[in-house]
Amino acid sequence: MAVLVLGRPAVRGRGVTRHPARRMVRILLGVLAIRANRALPLEWVIDALWPGKPPASAAANVRSHLAELRRLLADLAPGGPCIVTSRDGYVLAAAPDAVDVTRFQRLVREGRELRAHGEDAAAAHSLERAVVLWRGPVMAGAPVPDVVRPDVTVLEEQRLCAIEDLAEVRLALGFHADLVAALAGLVVEHPLRERLWRLLVGALAASGRRSEALAVYGRLVQVLDAELGVEPSAATTSLYESVRRDGRDAGAGRD
């Protein structure tokens, strides 16, 4: 892999990871990676780097920053991703696995396809590889330009869904006890994601901790009522009723 943006923007190659020294170059690397293999017009790039107040030298500055990135890519990843200039703008041309964003998305698709075919162990492996690509927030340490903020929001949602998918398949594989602590932390961090709560209830019940599972459901009811004025979904309520009856059913499917 050569271009990293799921965390601090960087280029990796030849056993070295290098972060562009200049802030504007880091931002430029980030937006190019987020929109890899798509042409970005010069005006769009200028707006990303200097929203609303570009300097008179903006176009020249963009070319200078691009030259710096081209040197970095040529040095660390020769024959890999490259920045191409076309009549439609600038493109980070890269194979899917050469950018962490597109590699993450490919691995998630792969994991879901494997799960759909009943290959849970292989699905878990692909989803784990996807999740660990995240070294921190998208473009960590650099401001996220408004022009790519919707893309970043989508990526963050994809990450949470991948984490939930991984927890679900690991629960199906019997790793109940290992999941409890991680899921307990996630529901604190993301209290309105009902699927995380349901997975935690399932993991606790499958670990023989029935009373704790029921207590977690009770907390979920309170959170949803206080924050959204709604009740748990039918899937969550069905799991609760099953656990309440006998504690043996630890399924935690999707809504």
Side-chain angles (χ1 to χ4, degrees), residues 136-155:
V138 180
M139 292 180 63
V144 176
D146 289 343
V147 290
V148 291
R149 194 167 296 280
D151 304 75
V152 171
T153 299
V154 169
L155 282 169

Side-chain angles (χ1 to χ4, degrees), residues 34-109:
I34 289 170
R35 296 204 170 185
N37 297 308
R38 286 181 280 178
L40 307 181
L42 174 61
E43 295 76 12
W44 188 96
V45 174
I46 289 174
D47 191 39
L49 298 181
W50 300 278
K53 296 181 179 179
S57 59
N61 291 346
V62 167
R63 287 191 286 271
S64 173
H65 299 333
L66 287 168
E68 183 173 333
L69 284 178
R70 285 185 170 114
R71 288 193 296 271
L72 188 57
L73 288 167
D75 182 31
L76 295 186
C82 61
I83 299 169
V84 177
T85 302
S86 73
R87 66 179 182 180
D88 296 319
Y90 303 104
V91 182
L92 177 63
D97 280 3
V99 179
D100 58 0
V101 169
T102 47
R103 179 174 173 81
F104 163 76
Q105 292 168 331
R106 182 189 67 76
L107 287 168
V108 170
R109 288 193 301 270

Side-chain angles (χ1 to χ4, degrees), residues 31 58 106 149 157 184 219 228 242:
V31 298
R106 182 189 67 76
R149 194 167 296 280
E157 175 64 19
R219 294 205 303 275
L228 301 176
S242 179

Side-chain angles (χ1 to χ4, degrees), residues 9 22-32 48-49 139 142-143 145:
R22 291 195 288 173
R23 173 174 169 273
M24 286 297 193
V25 179
R26 292 196 299 273
I27 296 172
L28 181 56
L29 177 61
V31 298
L32 286 167
L49 298 181
M139 292 180 63

Side-chain angles (χ1 to χ4, degrees), residues 156-175:
E156 290 170 344
E157 175 64 19
Q158 290 174 341
R159 173 179 176 264
L160 287 170
C161 288
I163 290 171
E164 291 169 342
D165 288 346
L166 177 58
E168 185 176 280
V169 73
R170 286 180 61 81
L171 183 58
L173 288 167
F175 296 101

Side-chain angles (χ1 to χ4, degrees), residues 194 198 232-240 251-255:
E194 185 179 337
R198 186 165 65 250
S233 67
T236 305
T237 302
S238 176
L239 173 62
Y240 163 73
R254 296 177 181 272
D255 288 331

Side-chain angles (χ1 to χ4, degrees), residues 120-133:
D120 286 357
H125 181 62
S126 291
L127 289 167
E128 283 180 40
R129 290 165 63 204
V131 169
V132 299
L133 291 173

